[in-house]
Amino acid sequence: MTEFLLPLTVLTFPQIDPVLLQIGPLAVHWYGLGYVVGILFAWWYARRLVTNDRLWGPGGSAISPVDIDDFLIWAAAGVVLGGRLGYILFYDFARYIENPASIFAVWQGGMSFHGGLTGVTLAMILFARRRGFSIWSLFDIIAAGVPVGFGLVRVTNFINSELWGRPTDVAWSFVFPNGGPDPRHPSQLYEALLEGLALFIVLRLLTHSALKLKQPGFVAGAMVAWYGASRIFVEFFREPDAHIGYLAGGWLTMGMILSVPMVLLGVWAMLRAQKAAAA
C-alpha cells in the first residue's frame, strides 16, 4: 500500500515518552494519569450536578456531595478491577494464564472499557442500595462526567502507539513506531473525539438544556448507547487485536460484539426513563 502514497500524505508521529515522570523506580505513565484525571473530573463534575437544583426540580437531588465523595473509592475500584478483568477474559486470557504476574502490571496497558463499565456499574448498584437512593439517578450523575476520562485514555493510547488503526491512504494517517511500515488510521483519536468530546457535549445538553436528570436513567442510557454506536463505527477503522483478529467476514471484531448489547441496553434505558416520566 505504501508505494502508492505520497510522503506528504503521512503525518509525523509525535515521539512522546509514555513515561511522564521518572523518580528512581517510581514512574508516572500518561496512561495511568489519564485514568486518574478522568476519575477525578467525574467526581468533581458529579458534585456540581447534585448541587444544581435547577437540573432536578423541586426538592433537588436526593444524592448529596458527601455521597459522591464516598463513592469515589468505589468507582475507582470498579473501573480498575473490572477493566483489567474484562481485558484478561475477553482479549488475552491465554497470555495472562501463562504469566499470572503480568495481571498486576496495569501501567503496561490492557484495560477493557466493557469490563470497566461492568465493574463500576456493579459498584453503583451496591452503593446506591446501601445509601437508599435511586440507582438510576446515580447512573446518570456518573455517566455525565465519564466521557472526559474516555477521551483522555484514548489520547494516551495514541501516545503509547497502541490500538492503532488499519492501513490507509488518508491524508491524516500516521506510521506508528510499532505498527509496521504502512500509514494507519489514528483510530485512538477518532475514539477520543467521538467517545470523549462529542459524547460529553451531548450529555451536557441533555443535563443542562433538556433537563433529562428529571427522567432517571435517560442520561446513562444515552451515554451507553452513544459509546456503543461510536465504538462499532470506529472498529471499521481500528486494527483488531493480533491474537484475536477478525471473528468473521474480515470485518467483525470482538469490540463490535461487545458493543451491540450496549446500544440495545442504552436505547432500552432511555425508553424506560421516558415511559416512567410519562406515567
Side-chain angles (χ1 to χ4, degrees):
M1 176 180 292
T2 53
E3 62 267 28
F4 300 106
L5 297 175
L6 296 175
L8 293 179
T9 65
V10 181
L11 300 178
T12 302
F13 183 80
Q15 297 294 332
I16 302 175
D17 193 335
V19 178
L20 171 63
L21 180 64
Q22 180 86 43
I23 303 176
L26 178 64
V28 178
H29 293 250
W30 287 105
Y31 185 79
L33 184 63
Y35 270 94
V36 171
V37 173
I39 291 173
L40 291 178
F41 176 85
W43 162 70
W44 172 81
Y45 194 64
R47 294 182 98 258
R48 299 268 298 181
L49 292 178
V50 300
T51 56
N52 189 341
D53 291 343
R54 184 184 73 85
L55 307 181
W56 301 90
S61 172
I63 303 174
S64 71
V66 174
D67 293 321
I68 299 300
D69 293 344
D70 294 341
F71 179 67
L72 180 62
I73 300 300
W74 292 59
V79 168
V80 175
L81 295 178
R84 191 61 166 173
L85 183 60
Y87 184 83
I88 292 169
L89 293 178
F90 295 122
Y91 289 96
D92 211 353
F93 183 74
R95 180 170 75 89
Y96 287 103
I97 288 298
E98 291 179 1
N99 185 18
S102 63
I103 292 175
F104 304 100
V106 294
W107 58 87
Q108 296 178 357
M111 297 285 283
S112 163
F113 168 81
H114 301 90
L117 177 63
T118 302
V120 77
T121 299
L122 292 175
M124 284 189 283
I125 292 173
L126 295 174
F127 186 81
R129 286 182 175 176
R130 173 170 292 190
R131 293 297 171 97
F133 48 66
S134 169
I135 295 173
W136 288 106
S137 289
L138 183 59
F139 284 170
D140 289 341
I141 293 168
I142 301 304
V146 295
V148 171
F150 295 167
L152 289 175
V153 170
R154 291 310 180 193
V155 171
T156 64
N157 290 147
F158 178 80
I159 291 174
N160 289 346
S161 183
E162 60 188 4
L163 307 181
W164 18 258
R166 305 181 191 187
T168 181
D169 59 357
V170 297
W172 54 88
S173 60
F174 289 88
V175 175
F176 289 90
N178 55 350
D182 291 330
R184 296 179 176 274
H185 282 286
S187 56
Q188 316 96 320
L189 301 183
Y190 301 169
E191 291 188 82
L193 290 174
L194 287 174
E195 302 161 11
L197 179 61
L199 180 53
F200 179 78
I201 293 173
V202 168
L203 297 183
R204 176 78 179 189
L205 291 174
L206 290 178
T207 57
H208 287 69
S209 296
L211 301 180
K212 286 297 185 179
L213 289 175
K214 297 179 181 180
Q215 298 179 10
F218 191 95
V219 173
M223 186 278 286
V224 172
W226 180 287
Y227 179 93
S230 298
R231 179 65 181 268
I232 292 171
F233 173 75
V234 174
E235 285 289 314
F236 285 101
F237 303 95
R238 178 176 171 176
E239 185 79 11
D241 294 90
H243 55 283
I244 298 179
Y246 296 108
L247 302 182
W251 60 271
L252 183 65
T253 67
M254 179 63 76
M256 291 179 181
I257 290 178
L258 296 175
S259 296
V260 169
M262 293 183 64
V263 177
L264 299 177
L265 181 61
V267 171
W268 170 82
M270 287 188 288
L271 294 175
R272 174 209 157 276
Q274 288 184 319
K275 183 178 179 180

